[in-house]
Amino acid sequence: MAPLGSRDALPGGMNPDLASERLAASFSVELLTASLDGGAERTRGRRAIVEAIESDPVFSQENQYFQSQNEKYEAAVRRAVYLQKKIRAMGWTQNGPEVQDICRCLSGDIALVLHRVFMRSISVLGSDKQIAKWIPLATDYQIIGSYAQTELGHGTYLQGLETTAVFDTATQEFILNTPKISAMKWWPGDMGRSATHTVVFAQLYVHGKCYGVHPFILQIRSLEDHSPRPGVTVGDIGPKMDFQHADNGFLLLQNVRVPRENMLSKFCEVQPDGTYVRWGSQKINYFTMTSVRISILSDEAIVPLMKACTIAIRYSAVRRQSKLKPGEQEAKILDYQTQQQKLLPQLATAYAFHFINTYLHELFNKGYQDIQAKNFDSLPELHAFSSGFKALITQHCTSGVEICLRACGGHGYSLLSGLPSLYTRIIASCIYEGENTVLLLQTARFLIKCFMAASAGQRVPPSVTYLSSVKSGKCPAKDKSDFLRPEIYLKAYEQMAVRSVTKLQHLIQSGVDKHDAWNQCTVQLEKAAKAHCHYITVKNFVEAVENLDNKAGIQKIMKHLCDLFALHGIFSNVGDFLYDGHLTAAHMDLVTASYLDLLAVIRKDAVPLVDAFDFTDKSLSSALGSYDGQVYQRLYEWAQKSPTNQQGNPAYDKYLKPLLQNTLSKL
Amino acid sequence: MAPLGSRDALPGGMNPDLASERLAASFSVELLTASLDGGAERTRGRRAIVEAIESDPVFSQENQYFQSQNEKYEAAVRRAVYLQKKIRAMGWTQNGPEVQDICRCLSGDIALVLHRVFMRSISVLGSDKQIAKWIPLATDYQIIGSYAQTELGHGTYLQGLETTAVFDTATQEFILNTPKISAMKWWPGDMGRSATHTVVFAQLYVHGKCYGVHPFILQIRSLEDHSPRPGVTVGDIGPKMDFQHADNGFLLLQNVRVPRENMLSKFCEVQPDGTYVRWGSQKINYFTMTSVRISILSDEAIVPLMKACTIAIRYSAVRRQSKLKPGEQEAKILDYQTQQQKLLPQLATAYAFHFINTYLHELFNKGYQDIQAKNFDSLPELHAFSSGFKALITQHCTSGVEICLRACGGHGYSLLSGLPSLYTRIIASCIYEGENTVLLLQTARFLIKCFMAASAGQRVPPSVTYLSSVKSGKCPAKDKSDFLRPEIYLKAYEQMAVRSVTKLQHLIQSGVDKHDAWNQCTVQLEKAAKAHCHYITVKNFVEAVENLDNKAGIQKIMKHLCDLFALHGIFSNVGDFLYDGHLTAAHMDLVTASYLDLLAVIRKDAVPLVDAFDFTDKSLSSALGSYDGQVYQRLYEWAQKSPTNQQGNPAYDKYLKPLLQNTLSKL
């Protein structure tokens, strides 16, 4: 059964080099897709949504690679606005799984996404009264919201924000100002040209005392004609590496007043006389960001990696270049070990992250419920998880996409391959919602703290109990097949993570000044946090595979991918594993042998494994990655539509002709 | 003395955070610049050229971040054409060091660069008669040349090219065809819209026999009106990740005839009766590519890394974020160990590659002279060098630029930082002129061959004699300061490289089928080739430092950078060094300690070290990297010039207003 009807068809039909790959699948692609979706029912639902959107010309992205920044923005607004119509027309719900399917289908090339963050901020941080006032307005799009936190001078370090909100008891208003150029809000999405309102973060001052950063609802543009409100200067921050469709904005505020009721006050409040009252942790103000970090992982990091793998692996099964042995036919590049070593670990990573993402979402849904019930106990662990995994996943997905791009050689460099735009977009995920190094150090701080608490006999969250319970020892593996046993490689990861953390704890404790000691260990602390998250990812993959259905070959191929993910991590970080002698050089030879063997095994299922991600040709937008594998034909056809071939060549008459005819001097 | 007058000035003046960095320099920036240039005289000459070009508005790149592909192309042609005028007006020579300075100054954003490759091909591969006919035409730009080698279906594997050239004895012509879609020429620069001629590579057939790939001079467009010649279909391949200014083209040929004299025939010829005669190695046909690989390294890889370091390090000395200790002022991000660990190894790498580039150019100039004298002995070593170093240098420079980009956080992601365009451009260098993996395997083949020859007592080139002469042994280092002794770390690198190669030689020899054995080792062969090139780079850096002038602190700071480059390589590849026990885990702790110490030492000179690269503000085109450090002011001013702020917002009337006023359904 073909997974989807909505695939482009070229007269050449299916490339036989792809057809043969699919015939050889060791498992049922359709069942794996259903498993990834969370059931066949969800797969059907998702496909119906994809079909509804892709068949509607309003959502076409056919010209995306030929558009200017202004054209991309306009198209993204058009899609966002018509999507609201479509959602109503189709009777889809705004908060169900459908939204997730729509986002995946539109690849995020849509405006007004910050509107949802605006609403979420109000829902999480607003009082019941604020929610009752603002959420219906936002739901009906009578206002368009944004989220104004980052400033020109401060990003990750929120305590350093310089925008001020001074309470004026006389008028019962807050006076908002960006008192210097570095205080200007800079980067907020949808703010440059679209939003009418925003949640703005500012240092709260009452009677001259600073109470730290708080969120305020602020109208920035007229609802009549969209002009900036008095005291507001707002615009677009200009061209970026990608996200050209998004109007990231700047915002200057000069004595802009908002009523007292506009400070979001579920957890704290300024009373009419200026008394500041707080319930619960101040850290809750950052919870929106914490949860956004987790919510973006799938669409902004894992799905792009899956797409890049789909494109690169299909292309590698079609592209033939050079020969494995003299006299043979030219080989598919996927048959070269070096190509397998580039692509297949990325494929394994995409699956590993699919499973850890499910785990993180479950953890956060539970945490969110606790917090709604004003139980903040899980906040430190949630924060450490969201920080560390956001960093680990975005980092690996970004480098994975880059590897896929480069693995397609010159054609990967053409925008028409779809790979450059995946890369220029995903790299932003390493920076936004918390810069990765800073995030990893926050995770490291949590780990060190937990390790010390556990050593002192105190209770720590289950995810970190291993830090104090693991006994060191030598790896018992004797044969390369031993490294296909999860208990063997899990133990190696566990030891490596424990050693990284415990060693640093000693270094930090031994320092005279604890801040100096910390600052001199940050390079190694960052590594330790990665080691911890990497270990948890491998462990979770092992557990997920154990829980999979054993039918139709799915568990078996997933076990191979899990092994590959684990062994690739060892193969790529040999030093960390050799360091304390748990593994020896002889073990590393076994790991290498097992790892290279696995490449050859998984290679056979590589195309079916990317088919199971079930991307339509339209959502891949790739001349290299289409289902039918007609790559050369498609490159040529798409290139002919480029403005470079459609709009003539004024440079000839102006410059080339005079040069060639030696009349330049007369110009 | 300020190095250059041509710096932008903002009313704010010099940012004091940059001024203080410069006051603290431990060496003379001006003398280091002169040393990098090859003497103060060369520095003066270069600056005069930069001044002449940057002061001429024709060459302005002020709007580069706001332009479409067509606009970029037109601007690049304009610059190329006016450059010819300028060169004549200024009396600059076409082949002297001035061309190098011009290229560096224009950052390669210029059209008609393949014209030089076209000329070089004819000079290297053409007979005296062909040179006499074509070179003057090209020199005067009566024709514009290109270089058509790569096809849609074949890039690196030249033997697989599918374009054919069949000799027709009756008319004394070659009949050129691209017989299928994959045979279409695809990627040649300057061909899509500019060139009138090209050197086209095709399989030569005479009397039904194939003689392999040969180069032919072909006219593709009319010299009257620039229309494609009969039988020629030519156009642009469309948008790319970068190089939007370059009209990379496609070319289809249908029975296009060229006279017998158009086959480049310095080394072989088809005689009138169809007899095929050859003098010298067929491999000489690839020598153009081999030498191009070396000639691009500076402008396309090393200079971009130097620019990225300049931008990121200056910005990191100006950006303050968070605190090293509570109660202190916010710290410059360059004071964080994690930031130093990102940027300073890239700085050391830029210097290491500056020196290896000098070495490679000397090697190639000598090789070129030998080949002109029809002595081909050095070809295998030159080929191995050009392949391995092209791969190593482009790979490290690309990842270095990416690290610099990400180290600047959100602002690095703005095109206005100058970093995204450096990255999207440099990544192409990993792909073009030979894909890096393929190139490394060619180097590996050479190494294995040399190792076997040396083991059998045969003479091998001096660069590889170490493979058979090194005795294994334990590292004698006892203290972290021992790892600042070049003989200690050089020995470690040498052993690591030797082990990588010799181990594989055993694996390959032990295989039943030598092709299978080779194919199953390619992942490790690639690593071995990198290890060899890395070792040579460290060794060359050590020797270059020894030869430096000991005055004005230059040798001392270069020694620090050399140590950092070497230790960073060990720190980042611990497993390779631990593997055979030459270094132990205890050694690694010493390496780590020395490495982290060096970061703190070099950090003090980081800004002067990038100042010494002597880039003007115009050539950096970066709001973050300007000499005066007024980053926030410049970001804001540049953003306001963006078309997103200048061209209105049609999306409001079309989509946002109806949405907000709930009139969407009426549309």
Side-chain angles (χ1 to χ4, degrees):
Chain A
M1 174 178 128
L4 260 180
S6 57
R7 289 188 162 121
D8 295 350
L10 281 184
M14 180 70 64
N15 188 315
D17 279 340
L18 267 184
S20 62
E21 298 284 337
R22 293 181 173 124
L23 284 175
S26 81
F27 65 93
S28 159
V29 171
E30 188 62 19
L31 282 181
L32 180 54
T33 299
S35 169
L36 293 173
D37 276 327
E41 189 55 42
R42 284 280 296 114
T43 301
R44 270 191 295 277
R46 178 175 57 73
R47 286 179 183 166
I49 285 174
V50 170
E51 173 63 25
I53 290 183
E54 291 192 345
S55 63
D56 186 336
V58 165
F59 299 103
S60 165
Q61 305 206 44
E62 209 189 340
N63 291 316
Q64 63 176 308
Y65 300 128
F66 308 135
Q67 288 172 325
S68 71
Q69 186 175 5
N70 275 339
E71 288 164 343
K72 280 177 201 269
Y73 165 71
E74 186 176 324
V77 172
R78 187 190 67 228
R79 280 193 288 274
V81 169
Y82 279 94
L83 182 61
Q84 293 310 314
K85 268 184 90 166
K86 188 98 189 172
I87 286 174
R88 282 169 223 178
M90 303 294 290
W92 295 333
T93 57
Q94 287 273 6
N95 290 306
E98 288 141 348
V99 169
Q100 211 178 310
D101 296 336
I102 293 166
C103 289
R104 178 174 140 138
C105 175
L106 293 174
S107 311
D109 279 332
I110 187 164
L112 315 189
V113 285
L114 269 292
H115 188 66
R116 299 183 68 83
V117 178
F118 173 79
M119 289 172 72
R120 193 176 173 94
S121 301
I122 296 172
S123 305
V124 174
L125 304 176
S127 66
D128 291 345
K129 207 170 148 190
Q130 289 170 325
I131 292 172
K133 174 175 177 185
W134 295 101
I135 295 298
L137 288 172
T139 305
D140 285 355
Y141 284 92
Q142 292 178 53
I143 61 175
I144 296 169
S146 171
Y147 181 88
Q149 178 178 295
T150 301
E151 296 174 357
L152 201 37
H154 286 87
T156 305
Y157 182 63
L158 297 185
Q159 293 169 52
L161 293 179
E162 297 174 299
T163 301
T164 55
V166 177
F167 185 59
D168 179 352
T169 327
T171 62
Q172 294 288 299
E173 290 171 321
F174 296 102
I175 310 166
L176 293 168
N177 271 292
T178 49
K180 49 202 283 210
I181 187 166
S182 56
M184 189 189 315
K185 294 293 171 187
W186 191 271
W187 278 112
D190 297 336
M191 196 174 74
R193 316 174 78 182
S194 306
T196 61
H197 287 67
T198 190
V199 169
V200 65
F201 284 76
Q203 302 283 357
L204 169 65
Y205 284 86
V206 185
H207 298 322
K209 184 178 168 192
C210 181
Y211 289 88
V213 173
H214 287 72
F216 303 82
I217 298 177
L218 168 69
Q219 182 176 351
I220 55 175
R221 286 187 176 92
S222 155
L223 292 175
E224 295 304 311
D225 63 3
H226 220 237
S227 61
R229 301 279 299 150
V232 170
T233 306
V234 64
D236 185 275
I237 65 165
K240 297 146 291 186
M241 195 170 185
D242 206 312
F243 284 89
Q244 301 286 43
H245 69 279
D247 55 321
N248 298 88
F250 60 78
L251 177 72
L252 289 106
L253 301 173
Q254 263 189 305
N255 295 319
V256 179
R257 290 171 171 262
V258 296
R260 190 179 65 89
E261 293 73 25
N262 279 26
M263 184 174 109
L264 290 179
S265 56
K266 180 170 198 158
F267 300 103
C268 58
E269 192 181 61
V270 176
Q271 293 178 338
D273 64 350
T275 307
Y276 179 83
V277 192
R278 153 166 305 285
W279 315 274
S281 163
Q282 168 137 26
K283 292 202 170 134
I284 193 65
N285 280 338
Y286 309 142
F287 186 72
T288 308
M289 198 46 66
T290 303
S291 62
V292 165
R293 253 175 227 142
I294 294 300
S295 68
I296 57 167
L297 288 178
S298 176
D299 284 346
E300 294 297 336
I302 305 170
V303 164
L305 178 60
M306 289 173 170
K307 286 185 178 175
C309 287
T310 304
I311 296 167
I313 287 175
R314 286 182 182 164
Y315 174 66
S316 298
V318 164
R319 175 80 166 179
R320 290 180 177 272
Q321 197 83 172
S322 198
K323 299 173 183 181
L324 282 160
K325 293 187 191 183
E328 286 186 349
Q329 185 188 12
E330 285 193 66
K332 294 177 173 184
I333 57 175
L334 192 54
D335 285 323
Y336 292 95
Q337 191 188 53
T338 45
Q339 189 77 350
Q340 294 164 12
Q341 137 83 358
K342 288 175 190 173
L343 299 181
L344 303 185
Q346 311 320 318
L347 181 61
T349 300
Y351 276 96
F353 288 166
H354 167 81
F355 291 114
I356 195 79
N357 183 52
T358 306
Y359 168 77
L360 291 170
H361 273 270
E362 284 163 10
L363 202 73
F364 263 73
N365 287 339
K366 193 184 163 309
Y368 186 68
Q369 286 161 13
D370 289 349
I371 285 161
Q372 292 299 88
K374 304 205 174 170
N375 170 357
F376 303 113
D377 293 350
S378 60
L379 263 184
E381 192 188 14
L382 288 181
H383 182 68
F385 260 105
S386 84
S387 303
F389 280 100
K390 185 272 186 182
L392 184 85
I393 292 173
T394 56
Q395 167 61 48
H396 279 262
C397 289
T398 299
S399 73
V401 170
E402 195 207 316
I403 289 167
C404 290
L405 187 158
R406 287 174 48 183
C408 293
H411 296 328
Y413 191 74
S414 165
L415 286 195
L416 308 179
S417 75
L419 292 164
S421 52
L422 286 173
Y423 180 79
T424 51
R425 180 165 178 141
I426 198 174
I427 191 179
S429 70
C430 297
I431 300 163
Y432 60 56
E433 319 306 352
E435 194 275 331
N436 281 356
T437 300
V438 176
L439 293 180
L440 286 167
L441 289 176
Q442 292 183 7
T443 304
R445 198 176 287 278
F446 171 79
L447 292 175
I448 299 283
K449 209 181 271 183
C450 288
F451 174 71
M452 284 165 62
S455 306
Q458 294 163 24
R459 258 177 75 94
V460 294
S463 62
V464 287
T465 48
Y466 81 99
L467 286 176
S468 56
S469 63
V470 167
K471 305 274 170 288
S472 66
K474 303 277 175 197
C475 171
K478 302 258 177 283
D479 187 86
K480 67 177 178 176
S481 65
D482 287 334
F483 280 102
L484 304 178
R485 288 162 50 199
E487 67 273 23
I488 296 281
Y489 56 68
L490 271 180
K491 185 80 192 166
Y493 271 93
E494 195 178 62
Q495 289 241 352
M496 192 266 295
V498 168
R499 182 182 56 72
S500 308
V501 173
T502 54
K503 190 179 168 198
L504 287 170
Q505 190 265 332
H506 293 307
L507 275 176
I508 291 164
Q509 295 289 95
S510 67
V512 180
D513 177 303
K514 68 175 178 166
H515 293 292
D516 287 338
W518 176 269
N519 291 330
Q520 282 156 23
C521 287
T522 50
V523 165
Q524 296 167 82
L525 284 161
E526 190 184 352
K527 278 189 80 166
K530 279 188 202 164
H532 167 73
C533 294
H534 202 157
Y535 161 61
I536 302 281
T537 308
V538 175
K539 186 157 163 274
N540 180 69
F541 200 168
V542 168
E543 289 164 2
V545 169
E546 282 166 2
N547 292 329
L548 278 177
D549 204 330
N550 194 12
K551 72 181 173 199
I554 288 172
Q555 196 183 37
K556 189 170 168 204
I557 187 70
M558 286 297 118
K559 166 74 167 59
H560 289 320
L561 284 173
C562 178
D563 294 345
L564 184 73
F565 180 74
L567 297 189
H568 178 254
I570 300 178
F571 181 78
S572 312
N573 301 284
V574 174
D576 296 337
F577 290 88
L578 281 182
Y579 180 89
D580 68 354
H582 177 72
L583 297 184
T584 63
H587 283 132
M588 282 305 160
D589 288 342
L590 301 179
V591 167
T592 303
S594 246
Y595 167 66
L596 296 177
D597 287 351
L598 272 172
L599 291 179
V601 170
I602 294 169
R603 181 262 168 268
K604 293 180 198 147
D605 278 317
V607 169
L609 280 166
V610 298
D611 284 350
F613 295 142
D614 201 27
F615 293 112
T616 61
D617 285 351
K618 285 203 170 74
S619 77
L620 289 174
S621 297
S622 167
L624 303 189
S626 293
Y627 191 79
D628 68 4
Q630 295 291 355
V631 302
Y632 300 139
Q633 189 66 34
R634 213 171 251 106
L635 271 174
Y636 183 44
E637 286 181 11
W638 291 12
Q640 290 174 77
K641 296 179 191 162
S642 168
T644 51
N645 292 317
Q646 297 289 330
Q647 297 177 356
N649 184 7
Y652 174 67
D653 280 327
K654 284 194 204 166
Y655 309 113
L656 294 175
K657 192 174 173 189
L659 178 72
L660 286 163
Q661 304 188 350
N662 203 15
T663 54
L664 188 64
S665 52
K666 296 172 197 153
L667 279 185
Chain B
M1 171 182 131
L4 259 180
S6 59
R7 290 188 161 123
D8 295 351
L10 280 183
M14 180 70 65
N15 188 316
D17 279 339
L18 266 184
S20 62
E21 298 284 336
R22 293 181 172 124
L23 284 175
S26 80
F27 65 94
S28 159
V29 171
E30 188 61 18
L31 283 181
L32 180 54
T33 299
S35 169
L36 293 174
D37 276 327
E41 190 57 42
R42 284 280 297 116
T43 301
R44 271 190 295 277
R46 178 176 57 73
R47 287 179 182 163
I49 284 174
V50 169
E51 173 63 24
I53 289 184
E54 291 191 347
S55 64
D56 186 336
V58 165
F59 299 103
S60 165
Q61 305 205 41
E62 209 189 339
N63 291 315
Q64 63 175 306
Y65 299 130
F66 308 134
Q67 288 171 326
S68 71
Q69 186 174 6
N70 274 339
E71 288 164 345
K72 279 176 201 269
Y73 166 72
E74 186 175 324
V77 172
R78 186 189 68 228
R79 280 193 287 272
V81 170
Y82 278 93
L83 181 61
Q84 293 311 313
K85 271 184 88 166
K86 188 100 190 171
I87 286 174
R88 281 168 224 180
M90 302 294 289
W92 296 333
T93 57
Q94 287 274 5
N95 291 308
E98 288 142 348
V99 169
Q100 211 178 310
D101 296 336
I102 293 166
C103 288
R104 178 174 141 139
C105 175
L106 293 173
S107 310
D109 280 331
I110 187 165
L112 314 189
V113 285
L114 268 292
H115 188 66
R116 298 183 68 83
V117 178
F118 172 79
M119 288 172 72
R120 192 175 175 94
S121 300
I122 295 171
S123 305
V124 174
L125 304 176
S127 65
D128 291 345
K129 205 170 151 193
Q130 289 170 324
I131 292 171
K133 172 173 178 188
W134 293 101
I135 295 297
L137 288 173
T139 304
D140 285 355
Y141 284 93
Q142 292 178 54
I143 60 175
I144 297 170
S146 170
Y147 181 86
Q149 179 179 294
T150 301
E151 296 174 358
L152 200 38
H154 286 87
T156 305
Y157 182 64
L158 298 185
Q159 292 169 52
L161 293 180
E162 297 174 299
T163 301
T164 56
V166 177
F167 185 59
D168 179 353
T169 327
T171 62
Q172 294 288 302
E173 290 170 322
F174 296 103
I175 310 166
L176 293 169
N177 271 293
T178 49
K180 48 201 283 210
I181 186 165
S182 56
M184 189 188 315
K185 294 293 173 186
W186 192 270
W187 278 111
D190 296 338
M191 196 175 73
R193 316 174 77 181
S194 305
T196 61
H197 287 66
T198 191
V199 170
V200 65
F201 284 76
Q203 301 284 359
L204 168 66
Y205 284 86
V206 186
H207 299 321
K209 184 178 169 191
C210 181
Y211 290 88
V213 173
H214 287 72
F216 303 82
I217 298 178
L218 169 70
Q219 181 175 351
I220 55 174
R221 287 188 176 91
S222 154
L223 292 174
E224 297 304 312
D225 62 5
H226 220 237
S227 60
R229 300 278 299 149
V232 170
T233 307
V234 62
D236 185 275
I237 64 165
K240 296 146 291 186
M241 195 170 184
D242 206 313
F243 284 89
Q244 301 286 44
H245 69 280
D247 55 321
N248 298 88
F250 61 78
L251 176 72
L252 289 108
L253 301 173
Q254 264 189 305
N255 294 319
V256 179
R257 289 171 172 264
V258 298
R260 191 179 66 89
E261 293 73 25
N262 279 25
M263 184 174 110
L264 291 177
S265 55
K266 180 170 198 157
F267 299 104
C268 58
E269 192 181 61
V270 176
Q271 294 178 339
D273 65 350
T275 306
Y276 178 84
V277 192
R278 153 166 303 286
W279 314 275
S281 164
Q282 168 138 26
K283 292 205 167 131
I284 192 66
N285 280 338
Y286 310 141
F287 186 72
T288 308
M289 197 46 65
T290 301
S291 63
V292 165
R293 253 175 227 142
I294 294 300
S295 68
I296 57 167
L297 288 178
S298 177
D299 284 345
E300 295 297 336
I302 305 170
V303 164
L305 177 60
M306 289 173 169
K307 286 185 177 174
C309 287
T310 305
I311 296 167
I313 287 175
R314 285 181 181 163
Y315 175 66
S316 298
V318 162
R319 175 80 167 180
R320 290 180 176 270
Q321 197 82 174
S322 198
K323 299 172 182 181
L324 282 161
K325 292 187 190 183
E328 287 186 347
Q329 186 190 10
E330 285 191 65
K332 294 178 173 184
I333 58 175
L334 192 53
D335 285 324
Y336 292 95
Q337 191 188 52
T338 45
Q339 189 76 350
Q340 293 165 12
Q341 137 83 358
K342 288 176 193 174
L343 298 181
L344 303 185
Q346 311 320 317
L347 181 62
T349 299
Y351 277 95
F353 288 166
H354 167 80
F355 291 113
I356 196 78
N357 183 53
T358 307
Y359 168 78
L360 291 170
H361 273 270
E362 285 164 9
L363 202 73
F364 264 74
N365 288 339
K366 194 188 162 304
Y368 186 67
Q369 286 160 13
D370 289 349
I371 285 162
Q372 292 299 90
K374 303 207 173 168
N375 169 357
F376 304 114
D377 293 351
S378 60
L379 262 184
E381 192 188 14
L382 289 181
H383 183 70
F385 261 104
S386 86
S387 302
F389 280 101
K390 185 273 184 180
L392 185 85
I393 292 173
T394 57
Q395 166 62 46
H396 279 263
C397 290
T398 299
S399 72
V401 170
E402 195 207 315
I403 288 167
C404 291
L405 187 158
R406 286 174 47 182
C408 294
H411 295 328
Y413 191 74
S414 166
L415 285 196
L416 308 177
S417 75
L419 291 164
S421 51
L422 286 173
Y423 179 79
T424 52
R425 181 166 176 138
I426 198 174
I427 191 178
S429 71
C430 297
I431 299 165
Y432 60 56
E433 318 305 350
E435 194 276 330
N436 280 355
T437 300
V438 176
L439 293 179
L440 285 167
L441 289 176
Q442 292 182 8
T443 305
R445 197 176 288 277
F446 171 79
L447 292 175
I448 298 282
K449 209 181 270 183
C450 288
F451 174 71
M452 284 164 64
S455 305
Q458 293 162 26
R459 258 178 73 95
V460 295
S463 62
V464 287
T465 48
Y466 81 98
L467 286 176
S468 56
S469 63
V470 167
K471 303 275 171 289
S472 67
K474 302 277 176 197
C475 171
K478 302 260 178 280
D479 187 85
K480 67 177 178 177
S481 65
D482 287 334
F483 280 102
L484 303 178
R485 288 162 51 198
E487 67 273 24
I488 296 281
Y489 57 69
L490 271 180
K491 186 79 192 166
Y493 271 92
E494 196 179 61
Q495 289 244 351
M496 192 266 295
V498 168
R499 182 184 55 73
S500 308
V501 174
T502 54
K503 191 180 167 198
L504 287 169
Q505 190 265 335
H506 293 306
L507 275 175
I508 291 163
Q509 296 289 95
S510 66
V512 181
D513 177 303
K514 68 175 179 167
H515 294 292
D516 287 337
W518 176 270
N519 290 331
Q520 283 155 24
C521 287
T522 49
V523 165
Q524 296 167 84
L525 284 161
E526 190 183 352
K527 278 189 79 165
K530 279 188 201 163
H532 167 74
C533 294
H534 202 156
Y535 161 61
I536 302 281
T537 308
V538 174
K539 186 158 163 276
N540 180 69
F541 201 169
V542 168
E543 289 163 4
V545 169
E546 281 166 3
N547 292 330
L548 278 176
D549 204 329
N550 194 13
K551 73 178 173 202
I554 287 172
Q555 196 183 37
K556 190 171 168 204
I557 186 69
M558 286 297 119
K559 166 74 166 61
H560 288 321
L561 283 174
C562 178
D563 294 345
L564 184 74
F565 180 74
L567 297 189
H568 179 255
I570 301 177
F571 181 77
S572 313
N573 301 284
V574 174
D576 296 336
F577 291 89
L578 281 181
Y579 179 89
D580 68 355
H582 177 72
L583 297 185
T584 63
H587 283 133
M588 282 304 160
D589 288 342
L590 301 178
V591 167
T592 303
S594 246
Y595 167 65
L596 295 176
D597 287 352
L598 273 171
L599 291 179
V601 170
I602 294 170
R603 181 260 168 269
K604 294 181 198 145
D605 278 317
V607 169
L609 281 167
V610 298
D611 285 350
F613 295 143
D614 202 26
F615 292 112
T616 61
D617 285 351
K618 285 203 171 73
S619 77
L620 290 174
S621 297
S622 167
L624 303 189
S626 293
Y627 191 78
D628 68 4
Q630 296 290 357
V631 301
Y632 300 139
Q633 189 66 34
R634 213 171 250 105
L635 271 175
Y636 183 44
E637 286 181 12
W638 290 12
Q640 290 173 76
K641 296 179 191 161
S642 168
T644 51
N645 292 316
Q646 298 288 329
Q647 297 178 355
N649 185 5
Y652 173 67
D653 281 328
K654 284 195 206 166
Y655 309 113
L656 293 175
K657 192 173 173 190
L659 178 72
L660 287 162
Q661 304 188 349
N662 201 16
T663 53
L664 188 65
S665 52
K666 297 171 198 152
L667 280 185

